[in-house]
Amino acid sequence: MRHDGRRRGLTLLECLIAIALLAACVIALTVPFQASADIELEDARRTLATSLATEMMEEILAKDFDDLAGSDSGTSWAGLKRSGFDSMNDYHGYAEPAGSVCDIHGVAMDDPASQGLSREVTVAYVYLPGQDTSQPQNFAWIQVVVARDGDPLQTLTRLAYQNR
């Protein structure tokens, strides 16, 4: 109470200053949490990319070295379901565009960390330096790339060997 007998209340200016201070505090408190959530999502995305690349590489390595019939050697089967692939060379050119990374049965992933991820496979039968080129190729160079919006997150490369 003032000495002249009138009550003093909050002015509009004081309310506005209090609201501005409260807003600044809320923003200052939420920024670290948002940054943490962004980092956690990026870590989850990198972990998923590593898992997707590893699973694809293991799937390829579990197949026959080459197709004995030889009819599909070097043919790109991009976009087809992998469940029908029976040899390593069937994977050459296989690609899953962003947003359509699938498991072996063709079921698209819907995990938030998978958004924007793509996967590509290259399989090339090669001769190593000094190897007799009159003999069939017994080395396959395999590369699996998992990318996000075109930027590689994980690349696995393997040289597979078949003893003939």
Side-chain angles (χ1 to χ4, degrees), residues 1-30:
M1 238 170 159
R2 297 180 96 185
H3 292 287
D4 61 4
R6 291 185 287 166
R7 289 187 182 179
R8 182 181 162 160
L10 287 174
T11 65
L12 182 57
L13 180 61
E14 290 170 329
C15 286
L16 290 174
I17 291 171
I19 290 171
L21 285 172
L22 181 62
C25 289
V26 167
I27 290 171
L29 290 173
T30 59

Side-chain angles (χ1 to χ4, degrees), residues 72-140:
D72 58 358
S73 180
T75 301
S76 173
W77 291 13
L80 299 177
K81 290 184 180 177
R82 302 186 321 261
S83 59
F85 293 1
D86 61 358
S87 65
M88 290 180 185
N89 59 335
D90 290 346
Y91 288 86
H92 179 68
Y94 182 80
E96 296 169 324
S100 56
V101 174
C102 300
D103 65 14
I104 192 168
H105 306 291
V107 178
M109 299 187 71
D110 60 357
D111 186 310
S114 70
Q115 300 214 353
L117 294 183
S118 61
R119 184 165 53 179
E120 295 180 6
V121 178
T122 303
V123 178
Y125 292 96
V126 297
Y127 289 106
L128 296 182
Q131 186 178 358
D132 183 0
T133 56
S134 66
Q135 298 296 316
Q137 295 166 319
N138 57 352
F139 288 96

Side-chain angles (χ1 to χ4, degrees), residues 52-63 144 156 158:
L52 289 169
T54 302
E55 288 173 4
M56 179 65 78
M57 184 64 76
E58 289 175 0
E59 180 182 323
I60 295 168
L61 293 171
K63 301 297 182 184
V144 178
L156 293 182
R158 174 89 184 256

Side-chain angles (χ1 to χ4, degrees), residues 25-42:
C25 289
V26 167
I27 290 171
L29 290 173
T30 59
V31 167
F33 290 109
Q34 182 60 44
S36 175
D38 292 344
I39 290 170
E40 187 176 326
L41 179 60
E42 185 61 26

Side-chain angles (χ1 to χ4, degrees), residues 138-154:
N138 57 352
F139 288 96
W141 178 81
I142 306 164
Q143 184 175 60
V144 178
V145 178
V146 178
R148 179 171 187 260
D149 300 329
D151 296 324
L153 285 178
Q154 183 60 265

